[in-house]
Amino acid sequence: MDNTKAILVVPGTMEIKPARVPMPNEDEVLIKVEYVGICGSDVHGFESGPFIPPSDPNQEIGLGHECSGTVVGLGAKVKKFKIGDRVNIEPGVPCGKCRFCLEGKYNICPDVDFMATQPNYRGALTNYLTHPESFTYKLPDNMSMMEGALVEPAAVGMHAAAKAEVTPGKKIVILGAGCIGLMTLQACKTMGATEIVVVDVLEKRLELAKKLGAMEVINGIEEDTVARCKEVLGSLGADIVFETAGSQVTARQTPLLVMRGGKIMIVGTIPGETPIDFLKINREVVIQTVFRYANDYPTTIQAISKGGFDVKSMVTHIYNYKDVQKAFEESVNCKKDIIKSVIKMKK
């Protein structure tokens, strides 16, 4: 078996290099990668370098963490899988020993080894990779490999909706209709919510939000977001407001949209400081941040498999592995046109 890996040589330049085929440890599987999704964090890494730069300037930087593939090798103690199984992976491997792991909140483990970042900066853009059996999941027969790769961002939406305790009857506003906003929309739908308003500034995204089940969509440039949301949902506002755009502008709108006793869920990564007028939310409003996911893969896989969670419609661009440089360049330069890009690893 021949292997290669795509490496970020310098910001703005990816290069495919030869690599050895890794040997699985006794509790790991060897996976032949088939699809890799391009995440916003990958695009940031391509443009500017990793969020957390490595301490060693000679450290190779791999990108990609949303992936699926086929099991082609087994460690000596692997029991759940066999050669030929179609799988995807949960890309963060926690320590399993700290307080947070033992409480089941392994997504906030301070020593997590998350792909394409510290400590190993190991990316999924490679022909073969190894991964622990315990963080590898078998795909249902009716789920495509591309859908399998998109379980990772879908799980972010499922985790956010679960943390917000979405139930039927809840009134919801989602600020941002990028990939994570649309995943959050669909997660809320799977949990029974129907009164969902989605806000964005790009019509292409709003059209897809409507197709995926939003009750109403609002263009934040053309309309007064707060006034329009309250016109649709009622003067009290929303039970739950999800900020998924990662923008200070939308973050500042959240206190104006949430009702008394409601919840503000910060899903996006918001840079800098965002002033909050606490007088506007001092009626038992909860503000909560959300980080990745924990114990959400099985539920997410099931939701996609049953057809209630449409990740395929979100894929606007598919690239071949050999065109990885083009894939990232267009992810930077064509952000208005791209909702979700994936890279097909197999010829």
Side-chain angles (χ1 to χ4, degrees):
M1 295 185 291
D2 295 324
N3 194 23
T4 63
K5 57 185 176 182
I7 298 299
L8 181 68
V9 181
V10 295
T13 302
M14 296 291 291
E15 183 179 324
I16 297 176
K17 296 182 175 182
R20 67 175 182 82
V21 177
M23 293 295 292
N25 293 326
E26 60 182 15
D27 63 343
E28 292 182 330
V29 293
L30 175 65
I31 299 169
K32 181 174 176 58
V33 182
E34 296 200 22
Y35 279 94
V36 179
I38 298 179
C39 174
S41 63
D42 297 319
V43 177
H44 176 276
F46 176 76
E47 285 188 279
S48 308
F51 281 110
I52 305 174
S55 55
D56 180 359
N58 297 315
Q59 170 75 55
E60 282 190 336
I61 305 296
L63 296 179
H65 58 264
E66 307 170 358
C67 70
S68 63
T70 304
V71 174
V72 294
L74 302 171
K77 292 187 177 180
V78 171
K79 296 180 180 179
K80 289 197 306 182
F81 300 101
K82 64 182 186 299
I83 303 299
D85 280 346
R86 301 160 60 255
V87 298
N88 67 3
I89 65 170
E90 193 168 336
V93 181
C95 75
K97 300 175 182 178
C98 70
R99 167 184 173 176
F100 307 105
C101 286
L102 296 176
E103 291 177 350
K105 299 181 288 188
Y106 62 84
N107 56 318
I108 55 173
C109 169
D111 295 317
V112 65
D113 181 359
F114 198 89
M115 293 184 74
T117 186
Q118 63 176 346
N120 296 315
Y121 297 88
R122 178 177 66 109
L125 285 166
T126 182
N127 303 109
Y128 296 94
L129 60 79
T130 57
H131 205 68
E133 174 186 33
S134 55
F135 286 92
T136 302
Y137 299 84
K138 188 174 180 179
L139 299 180
D141 292 340
N142 68 339
M143 184 182 290
S144 70
M145 281 292 198
M146 188 169 72
E147 288 175 310
L150 298 180
V151 168
E152 199 275 347
V156 174
M158 291 291 275
H159 186 68
K163 283 289 185 184
E165 299 178 313
V166 172
T167 56
K170 294 288 188 182
K171 298 181 178 183
I172 295 169
V173 172
I174 299 174
L175 299 171
C179 175
I180 298 303
L182 294 174
M183 293 295 191
T184 303
L185 162 64
Q186 296 199 74
C188 292
K189 292 285 290 183
T190 66
M191 295 178 186
T194 57
E195 295 183 81
I196 306 172
V197 176
V198 177
V199 183
D200 203 280
V201 298
L202 298 177
E203 283 301 323
K204 182 175 183 177
R205 294 180 177 182
L206 293 173
E207 288 171 8
L208 184 52
K210 191 72 173 176
K211 176 185 175 183
L212 293 175
M215 180 180 74
E216 189 64 68
V217 296
I218 296 171
N219 187 311
I221 290 179
E222 297 177 359
E223 300 181 79
D224 182 324
T225 296
V226 176
R228 185 76 180 99
C229 283
K230 290 189 175 182
E231 180 183 330
V232 174
L233 297 176
S235 60
L236 293 178
D239 292 285
I240 307 166
V241 180
F242 293 94
E243 198 296 318
T244 72
S247 163
Q248 290 188 13
V249 173
T250 48
R252 282 195 293 268
Q253 291 175 335
T254 58
L256 307 176
L257 293 165
V258 70
M259 69 170 64
R260 297 178 178 213
K263 294 181 180 179
I264 295 171
M265 306 296 293
I266 305 297
V267 188
T269 302
I270 304 169
E273 297 181 3
T274 302
I276 295 291
D277 183 353
F278 284 98
L279 279 176
K280 295 191 180 300
I281 54 170
N282 70 341
R283 297 296 186 271
E284 300 199 353
V285 168
V286 173
I287 302 177
Q288 182 169 353
T289 60
V290 182
F291 190 63
R292 295 175 182 157
Y293 35 75
N295 306 300
D296 295 291
Y297 259 54
T299 304
T300 307
I301 290 172
Q302 185 180 53
I304 296 171
S305 174
K306 288 186 173 181
F309 205 127
D310 180 6
V311 293
K312 275 186 178 179
S313 292
M314 296 174 56
V315 176
T316 52
H317 293 67
I318 301 175
Y319 299 91
N320 290 319
Y321 177 42
K322 65 182 179 65
D323 299 320
V324 63
Q325 177 69 23
K326 176 184 177 182
F328 277 95
E329 287 179 352
E330 291 192 356
S331 294
V332 172
N333 298 324
C334 306
K335 291 179 180 177
K336 291 185 177 180
D337 299 319
I338 294 175
I339 294 174
K340 189 65 183 178
S341 296
V342 296
I343 293 177
K344 187 177 182 180
M345 301 298 294
K346 293 177 69 176
K347 293 182 180 178

